[in-house]
Each structure stands twice: as C-alpha cells, then as structure tokens.
Amino acid sequence: MGLFINNREHPEVFKNKQNINEPNQAYSRKDYFTELINELRMQSQLHKETEAIHWKQVDNQLHDLRENHQYQKEFEKQIIQCLQTINDKQLELQKDLAGKLAEQAEFQGGVLQRLDTQEALIDKMSRQLNNIRSILFERTNYLAKKIEDGYKVTSSYVYKLMTGSEQPLTFFLLNHKKEEKQNHTET
C-alpha cells in the first residue's frame, strides 16, 4: 500500500524535498517460518471456508434428497392405492365380461341350433315341393292324354253323327282347310 498524503489539511507531512537514496534499508530480515505459518493459516482459513461452503452444499443436497425421498414414498403409496383400485375394478369388469361372453355363446349356440333346424326344414320343404311338382307334372300329363283321348272319341262320335262317315275328325279338318284355301284362291 502506498503512502497517503493529505494535501488539504497537512500538505507538508511526510514530504521530503531531498533526493532519497535507495535502497534506504541496509538489511532486511525475513522470517520464513512466520511467513510459512501465516501462509498456512491463510490456506487453512481458505480451506475451512471452502469446506464449510462444501458441507453446506452437501447438507442442502441431503435435505433435498430427504424431501424427494419423502415425496417418492407418498407418490408410491398413491400409485399403489390407484393400482389396487384399478385391479379390483378390472377384476369386476372381467367377471362381468366373462358372464356376458358366456351368455353370448349360449345365445349363439341357440341361434345356430335354430338355423340348423330351419335349414333342415327348408330342405324337407324343397324335397316335398319337388315331389309335388313331379306328381303335378305326371297328373297333368296323364289328364292331358285322357282329355285328348276323350276329345278324339267324342269328336269322332259327333262327326259320325253329323256326317255318317267313319272318317276321323283329323282328316275332316285337313279336308276342310284345303277347301278353304281353294275358296280363298278362287276369290
């Protein structure tokens, strides 16, 4: 540190007008041990302050860790309670779903059984309809032949009564058509 001179109040104090011969100290004595102790004291003090700051930081970190640990415990308790509640609800839903699936399976079994029964009935009805068709076709064909035979007999009988000829009606119709064509071409 330099020398302070107060120029306002004591301007002449500590002023020298002569040249100063330097170095003005003939010898100097150093006490290395004292300097070492002083330096060690300063380093020790600095180390204590640094260590105190470090321990304070460690203490703050420990405090934060304890708070986080407590928060984690509370959070874990809440999660476990929620999971247990969800597990009870899930079991109820699974039981309910299993019951509904069993009902659905039973219903589907009944529907399939009814479909099988209905399919069998439709097959039976189809066979019966085919049988009725074939019977109707046979009967209709039989009746048509009978009517045709009866018509031939009746028409021959009527023709015989009217003309007195034994000629069948078909020859009469053919002759009649020929006569009409000849009459038609003549006119």
Side-chain angles (χ1 to χ4, degrees):
M1 180 171 160
L3 186 62
F4 175 74
I5 299 175
N6 189 349
N7 287 329
R8 289 187 185 165
E9 294 184 17
H10 305 288
E12 298 297 323
V13 177
F14 299 116
K15 279 197 175 181
N16 185 7
K17 297 203 180 192
Q18 298 174 357
N19 280 340
I20 300 174
N21 293 331
E22 294 183 34
N24 62 359
Q25 187 173 356
Y27 68 93
S28 75
R29 182 174 174 199
K30 281 192 167 184
D31 189 5
Y32 290 107
F33 184 69
T34 307
E35 284 182 15
L36 180 65
I37 289 179
N38 286 338
E39 190 175 332
L40 287 175
R41 257 191 221 140
M42 287 188 341
Q43 285 182 356
S44 175
Q45 184 63 30
L46 184 64
H47 183 68
K48 282 181 184 178
E49 290 173 1
T50 305
E51 204 172 273
I53 290 171
H54 178 71
W55 281 112
K56 186 166 185 157
Q57 289 175 347
V58 168
D59 188 43
N60 287 339
Q61 288 176 350
L62 282 174
H63 179 68
D64 290 345
L65 285 174
R66 284 185 193 117
E67 285 182 357
N68 284 339
H69 182 68
Q70 187 63 29
Y71 175 75
Q72 278 293 89
K73 281 185 176 180
E74 291 297 321
F75 184 71
E76 286 175 6
K77 284 180 185 177
Q78 290 175 356
I79 293 294
I80 288 171
Q81 287 175 352
C82 287
L83 287 175
Q84 288 173 345
T85 304
I86 289 171
N87 190 20
D88 298 343
K89 287 180 182 178
Q90 186 178 10
L91 289 174
E92 289 174 9
L93 288 174
Q94 285 176 344
K95 286 179 183 177
D96 188 37
L97 183 61
K100 287 181 179 178
L101 285 175
E103 289 175 9
Q104 184 68 24
E106 185 178 327
F107 177 74
Q108 284 179 345
V111 167
L112 289 174
Q113 186 177 8
R114 287 193 300 258
L115 283 174
D116 288 342
T117 304
Q118 190 171 3
E119 186 177 348
L121 287 174
I122 288 172
D123 285 344
K124 182 178 177 183
M125 287 174 56
S126 176
R127 285 192 304 274
Q128 287 176 346
L129 280 174
N130 285 336
N131 192 20
I132 290 172
R133 278 187 197 144
S134 66
I135 290 171
L136 281 175
F137 180 74
E138 289 173 6
R139 293 291 181 195
T140 306
N141 201 9
Y142 174 76
L143 288 175
K145 284 182 182 179
K146 285 288 188 185
I147 290 172
E148 190 176 313
D149 290 345
Y151 174 74
K152 284 179 184 178
V153 169
T154 305
S155 62
S156 294
Y157 178 72
V158 170
Y159 179 71
K160 183 179 178 186
L161 283 177
M162 292 176 82
T163 61
S165 162
E166 293 279 334
Q167 186 181 13
L169 180 63
T170 53
F171 291 126
F172 172 74
L173 290 175
L174 287 174
N175 288 336
H176 183 64
K177 283 185 184 178
K178 282 181 188 177
E179 288 176 11
E180 279 183 8
K181 279 185 184 178
Q182 285 176 359
N183 288 338
H184 188 32
T185 54
E186 289 175 3
T187 54

